[in-house]
Amino acid sequence: MTARSPEAVGVVGVGWVGLVTAACFASQGHEVWAMDVDAAKVERLSRGELSIHEPGLPELVREHQERLNFTTSMDELLANAKLLFCCVDTPPTYSGDADLSRVLSVVEQLSGDSEHALVMKSTVPSGTGESIRRDLPTLAYVSCPEFLKEGTAVQDFLHPDRVVIGADPGDEWASDAVAALYEPLGGEIVRTDVASAEMIKLASNAFLATKISFINEIANVCEEVGADVTEVARGMGLDERIGDKFLQAGIGYGGSCFPKDVSALKQLAGNSGYHFQLLNSVIEVNELQKRRVIGKLTKHLGSLVGKRVALLGLAFKPNTDDMREASSLVLSARLQGEGAHVVAFDPVAHEGAEGILPTVELADSAEHALEGADAAILVTEWPEFAELDWAAMAGSMRTPLIVDGRNFLDPAQVRAAGFAYEGIGRGADA
Ligand code: UGA
């Protein structure tokens, strides 16, 4: 058997998914051409400078720089690679549908093309591939949704659970080439049609979000009946049919994917004439979950007018500086709406927070955020928050009260340090 020569890879859109895709394929020995319309970003990346916080990614980019070509030129991409991975973002519109304008501007540039394959990694509504095929019948089209998580993106990409490759008859050369790129990574390769591949992505994210909203509602019931949701989740998760992942109750899911994709699937169903009742509840539960924290504070403090409330963490989850749709945004606005003064600390989301939360006081350490505070809310489970000297923190606060929005701290330990502790669904005193 002769060894396959590495396939050159084109990447369009060098955001989170695009950069991880580019760096990981480069690490597998492929020459990568990555294009973005943002000239300043391309220039920074060519110098090896990254503007996102993603563990392992800077090292990977630096290590494989000789195979990573960043450019603003689509022609350069077309001249060097046959497979063009489309990784542009599809943010939500005001109606909740996905905004496909960036995808369509990529498609426009491929009009009349019969040499290349567009490999769609951007999350798009089911039916997008079909409409692109209608407009560009000679272009090969493959749906290859991405399942990586921010914070563990490199690991997820290089060790996938599964790789979904959707293509319609006539485009086998392209889907075979994509499959060959992924085969060395392991993980089952799911070959299917384009519409089903698009649906697998949306349904997977909607299912995970449903799991989170479900356990959050169980947590709320646990508070009423004196049960502990962490015990309930542990007991449930051992059933293989349920599984233990994504059963952590908290103050709701955030990020650039779940809120957008759940809403996009709901709209997609609605636009096709089906009312997706369950997803309405998933979204509503998530919204209410962020706000329940206010009740936990007022139970101890009464009115929040003039109270100083410290937020520990701003990012939508640890190991990222991403604050898109983070629970901290709704929470800080609600607290300010109640008349509280909000002070916050995040180990990495700090710089971005200045522009997004102009009325929130940003502290340079967790200790400074907690000093003189009437209450603390743990918003993001950054490991370093578990290492804080909680007895010293209790001494420095005006009222040693903590709402643990991620059930991250050990309640017994924090109570022993002098705190009133409120978790999410952790018994009657939670
Ligand atoms: C999510 C999916 O997990 C990825 O598979 C998918 O590729 C990605 O969206 C995407 O569509 O691009 P991500 O948004 O990076 O990944 O982060 P997750 O780790 O899934 O967390 C999402 C939110 O759910 C976070 O706010 C997290 O705190 C929350 N969460 C997660 C819970 O509240 N409880 C849990 O048990 C798990």
Side-chain angles (χ1 to χ4, degrees):
M1 211 168 76
T2 52
R4 276 184 84 93
S5 61
E7 171 99 38
V9 172
V11 173
V12 188
V14 199
W16 222 292
V17 169
L19 187 56
V20 172
T21 303
C24 288
F25 279 141
S27 78
Q28 298 297 300
H30 302 281
E31 190 75 20
V32 177
W33 300 83
M35 179 259 175
D36 201 286
V37 289
D38 183 341
K41 187 198 265 185
V42 166
E43 204 184 305
R44 278 197 307 275
L45 285 167
S46 303
R47 289 198 302 267
E49 290 169 21
L50 275 65
S51 49
I52 53 172
H53 178 88
E54 183 60 51
L57 191 56
E59 295 81 353
L60 210 63
V61 169
R62 267 196 302 275
E63 209 177 311
H64 302 286
Q65 203 141 23
E66 80 283 1
R67 280 194 293 278
L68 278 167
N69 308 279
F70 295 103
T71 175
T72 52
S73 157
M74 188 64 155
D75 289 342
E76 213 171 316
L77 226 66
L78 295 174
N80 287 289
K82 270 182 152 348
L83 301 178
L84 311 174
F85 284 78
C86 181
C87 302
V88 296
D89 56 340
T90 51
T93 59
Y94 289 118
S95 61
D97 294 278
D99 176 358
L100 294 181
S101 56
R102 293 168 180 85
V103 169
L104 296 180
S105 82
V106 174
V107 169
E108 254 169 45
Q109 298 174 66
L110 299 172
S111 173
D113 190 303
S114 56
E115 302 289 309
H116 296 88
L118 185 63
V119 186
M120 191 57 69
K121 275 227 161 288
S122 305
T123 303
V124 293
S126 206
T128 306
E130 191 190 335
S131 100
I132 294 175
R133 284 300 306 265
R134 225 180 2 250
D135 293 345
L136 272 64
T138 55
L139 181 75
Y141 186 90
V142 177
S143 168
C144 180
E146 185 49 62
F147 298 99
L148 60 80
K149 303 182 285 303
E150 289 181 20
T152 52
V154 172
Q155 276 302 309
D156 292 345
F157 191 99
L158 293 176
H159 306 283
D161 287 348
R162 81 314 204 172
V163 177
V164 174
I165 299 177
D168 291 331
D171 290 340
E172 287 80 6
W173 73 264
S175 59
D176 287 349
V178 175
L181 280 179
Y182 279 99
E183 260 151 25
L185 303 181
E188 182 153 345
I189 298 205
V190 181
R191 304 283 290 258
T192 182
D193 60 281
V194 169
S196 302
E198 291 168 340
M199 213 41 205
I200 289 171
K201 169 68 189 181
L202 286 176
S204 298
N205 272 3
F207 185 78
L208 291 170
T210 303
K211 220 172 161 187
I212 298 170
S213 278
F214 180 84
I215 200 68
N216 282 340
E217 287 220 283
I218 294 292
N220 299 342
V221 178
C222 283
E223 287 178 10
E224 299 303 321
V225 302
D228 182 340
V229 72
T230 58
E231 290 298 298
V232 175
R234 185 163 68 96
M236 287 171 64
L238 289 168
D239 183 329
E240 278 183 12
R241 294 168 303 172
I242 298 174
D244 62 354
K245 306 227 166 65
F246 280 68
L247 278 184
Q248 272 165 267
I251 51 173
Y253 60 77
S256 62
C257 303
F258 284 172
K260 162 178 85 86
D261 292 349
V262 174
S263 155
L265 180 53
K266 182 188 124 176
Q267 292 307 327
L268 175 70
N271 298 342
S272 354
Y274 181 73
H275 180 63
F276 205 142
Q277 179 67 24
L278 182 60
L279 289 187
N280 281 326
S281 303
V282 170
I283 295 167
E284 194 184 347
V285 168
N286 196 53
E287 281 314 305
L288 294 175
Q289 199 66 13
K290 301 173 197 168
R291 292 155 206 261
R292 280 176 64 89
V293 172
I294 305 294
K296 291 177 187 286
L297 292 179
T298 54
K299 191 173 111 188
H300 291 263
L301 300 174
S303 163
L304 298 182
V305 174
K307 298 279 164 33
R308 187 176 170 87
V309 180
L311 303 186
L312 293 182
L314 290 168
F316 84 98
K317 65 174 193 175
N319 295 318
T320 178
D321 57 354
D322 198 343
M323 283 180 60
R324 283 177 288 179
E325 301 282 337
S327 296
S328 61
L329 302 177
V330 170
L331 203 51
S332 55
R334 276 299 309 126
L335 287 165
Q336 289 176 328
E338 295 291 321
H341 177 80
V342 181
V343 51
F345 169 72
D346 189 286
V348 303
H350 216 80
E351 259 173 51
E354 277 168 19
I356 304 170
L357 295 170
T359 54
V360 168
E361 181 187 330
L362 294 173
D364 57 10
S365 67
E367 286 84 352
H368 284 153
L370 293 170
E371 216 173 281
D374 294 283
I377 306 172
L378 193 142
V379 179
T380 317
E381 63 276 38
W382 282 102
E384 64 187 76
F385 294 151
E387 308 302 324
L388 285 171
D389 179 347
W390 285 103
M393 297 303 109
S396 80
M397 288 174 70
R398 190 153 38 204
T399 331
L401 164 65
I402 183 146
V403 177
D404 182 359
R406 299 290 170 193
N407 288 345
F408 179 60
L409 304 171
D410 177 350
Q413 197 186 344
V414 179
R415 284 190 178 115
F419 272 88
Y421 174 90
E422 291 271 350
I424 308 295
R426 304 190 89 173
D429 291 323

